[in-house]
């Protein structure tokens, strides 16, 4: 079942068919991570973490490469989130996980080098900030509500602020304890 082109979808979580219908949906849903029925944001973050490890190991992009990858993914994610939100009629669909993917890439890249435990701590902190939305993350979540490009940016922006908060905690930890 597919909805007409400009009408909202009649279901809260899309199907694989919806995801594969458009490139924007495929990107926004994190190539399937957003189809998770339980905690799609956490699944998207896990997928992003795994993708980061694989890309870093196989391509070894270095700092400039990661900067380009993350910048391109941010722009692509903004477009995909905007298009998917418009198509579904939901301002910030929970099944759009490209925002978590880009944000965890940013966290893991800036906080590097670190081992598996350090990455797990970054994952946990990021999920805490993204889900609980304390202070600046809550502000960012409300700052760009709406439709169109502004709303698509809002989908991405609160996760970038959660990433910043995560990196701030990591930086303070390293400064205080030298870790």
């Amino acid at each position: 079942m597919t909805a007409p082109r400009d009408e909202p979808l009649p279901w809260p979580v899309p199907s694989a068919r919806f995801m594969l219908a458009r490139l924007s949906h495929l990107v926004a849903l994190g190539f399937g991570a957003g189809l998770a029925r339980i905690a799609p944001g956490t699944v998207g973050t896990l997928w992003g973490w795994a993708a980061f490890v694989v890309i870093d190991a196989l391509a070894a992009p270095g700092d400039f490469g990661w900067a380009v990858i993350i910048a391109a993914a941010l722009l692509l994610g903004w477009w995909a989130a905007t298009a998917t939100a418009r198509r579904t009629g939901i301002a910030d669909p929970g099944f759009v996980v490209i925002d978590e993917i880009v944000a965890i890439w940013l966290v893991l890249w800036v906080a590097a080098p670190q081992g598996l435990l350090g990455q797990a701590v970054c994952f946990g902190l990021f999920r805490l900030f993204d889900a609980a939305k304390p202070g600046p993350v809550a502000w960012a979540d409300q700052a760009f509500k709406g439709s169109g490009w502004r709303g698509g940016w809002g989908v991405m922006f609160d996760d970038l602020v959660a990433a910043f908060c995560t990196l701030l905690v990591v930086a303070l930890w390293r400064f205080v304890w030298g870790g």
Side-chain angles (χ1 to χ4, degrees), residues 123-146:
F123 170 86
L125 284 170
F126 171 72
R127 287 308 305 147
L128 176 67
F129 283 115
D130 188 33
K133 299 200 184 313
V137 183
W139 168 82
D141 188 49
Q142 295 300 314
F144 294 95
K145 289 291 183 192

Side-chain angles (χ1 to χ4, degrees), residues 48-130:
W49 180 8
F52 179 89
V53 169
V54 169
I55 293 167
D56 203 49
L58 295 180
D63 284 340
F64 179 76
W66 272 115
V68 170
I69 290 167
I70 291 168
L74 179 62
L75 293 174
L76 184 66
W78 183 7
W79 163 76
T82 300
T84 303
R86 182 179 302 137
R87 175 84 172 106
T88 61
I90 303 169
D92 189 353
F95 48 81
V96 169
V97 297
I98 188 62
D99 49 340
E100 280 88 5
I101 293 167
V102 172
I104 197 64
W105 285 358
L106 179 63
V107 167
L108 294 173
W109 170 53
V110 173
Q114 58 193 333
L116 184 61
L117 179 60
Q119 290 178 355
V121 168
C122 286
F123 170 86
L125 284 170
F126 171 72
R127 287 308 305 147
L128 176 67
F129 283 115
D130 188 33

